[in-house]
Amino acid sequence: STDNGTDEHPFSLTIPKNLDCHLVMTTNEDNNDTRVITPIRIDTTEGNGSLFYGLSDTADLGNIPLAMDRSDINDTTGDGVSDDLKNVPVVSGILVPVYVAAGNDPMDSDGDGIINLYEDDDGDGSFNREDSDDDGNGIDDIEESDGSDTDGDGIVDTIDSDDDNDAIPDTEDDT
């Protein structure tokens, strides 16, 4: 967004053409106690949806009035993430909603428009991205990963810095 000297900061979005994406906006991002996270649903002449792709490089979304206080959102879990999507019309540019059946969007498996990272699966008041045990079973998520251990060293690939055990860090040798 652009600080234009008023309370309304115009917002434009630049995304690569034909990239599927979701939009989530955050206010008070520097304070975890007052932060408000708002999932966005794009309204266009083609329909509306929280998963969309762009046919043009830039889409002008104009001023998007966002809640600045948690008391102004519907937040049943108290995690600062709005349970409701904010409908935003496109002022100019072309964003096209993508319609997928619930469970077929890898970023929003329940199809409610709120991406999985911002759900609170265990209802503990912390959304999944910031919850080390997002299913509340007492086992950290990192320990519950898919368990793939390519080199058999006992460290799952998702956290193994050398998952092929060639003594060269994956960030330097793996493509």
Side-chain angles (χ1 to χ4, degrees):
S1 67
T2 305
D3 185 352
N4 62 1
T6 71
D7 289 341
E8 298 181 354
H9 300 221
F11 184 81
S12 64
L13 179 66
T14 302
I15 58 173
K17 290 181 182 179
N18 299 318
L19 173 72
D20 294 346
C21 58
H22 290 264
L23 178 61
V24 177
M25 299 181 83
T26 305
T27 54
N28 307 322
E29 63 271 1
D30 295 330
N31 185 327
N32 290 347
D33 295 328
T34 61
R35 176 180 54 204
V36 178
I37 298 171
T38 307
I40 303 296
R41 178 170 54 213
I42 302 297
D43 292 334
T44 71
T45 56
E46 293 83 13
N48 59 46
S50 58
L51 176 65
F52 60 91
Y53 68 93
L55 291 177
S56 58
D57 286 328
T58 302
D60 182 1
L61 303 178
N63 173 53
I64 302 173
L66 297 171
M68 297 297 290
D69 190 275
R70 290 183 177 189
S71 65
D72 296 331
I73 63 171
N74 177 21
D75 179 13
T76 56
T77 60
D79 59 5
V81 179
S82 176
D83 297 340
D84 303 319
L85 286 91
K86 175 80 173 173
N87 292 326
V88 175
V90 176
V91 176
S92 66
I94 302 172
L95 295 177
V96 179
V98 177
Y99 300 99
V100 293
N104 289 337
D105 180 352
M107 293 181 69
D108 178 21
S109 56
D110 62 3
D112 65 355
I114 300 171
I115 61 174
N116 299 337
L117 289 173
Y118 292 106
E119 300 275 3
D120 182 6
D121 289 341
D122 59 3
D124 66 353
S126 295
F127 54 89
N128 294 343
R129 182 174 150 222
E130 293 188 349
D131 191 345
S132 62
D133 178 21
D134 63 24
D135 60 6
N137 66 357
I139 303 170
D140 281 349
D141 296 334
I142 197 135
E143 301 296 324
E144 292 180 307
S145 64
D146 70 3
S148 298
D149 181 12
T150 304
D151 59 6
D153 63 359
I155 303 171
V156 293
D157 291 349
T158 55
I159 60 172
D160 191 347
S161 62
D162 182 20
D163 63 18
D164 58 1
N165 209 21
D166 63 357
I168 301 171
D170 295 337
T171 56
E172 295 177 18
D173 75 330
D174 292 344
T175 58

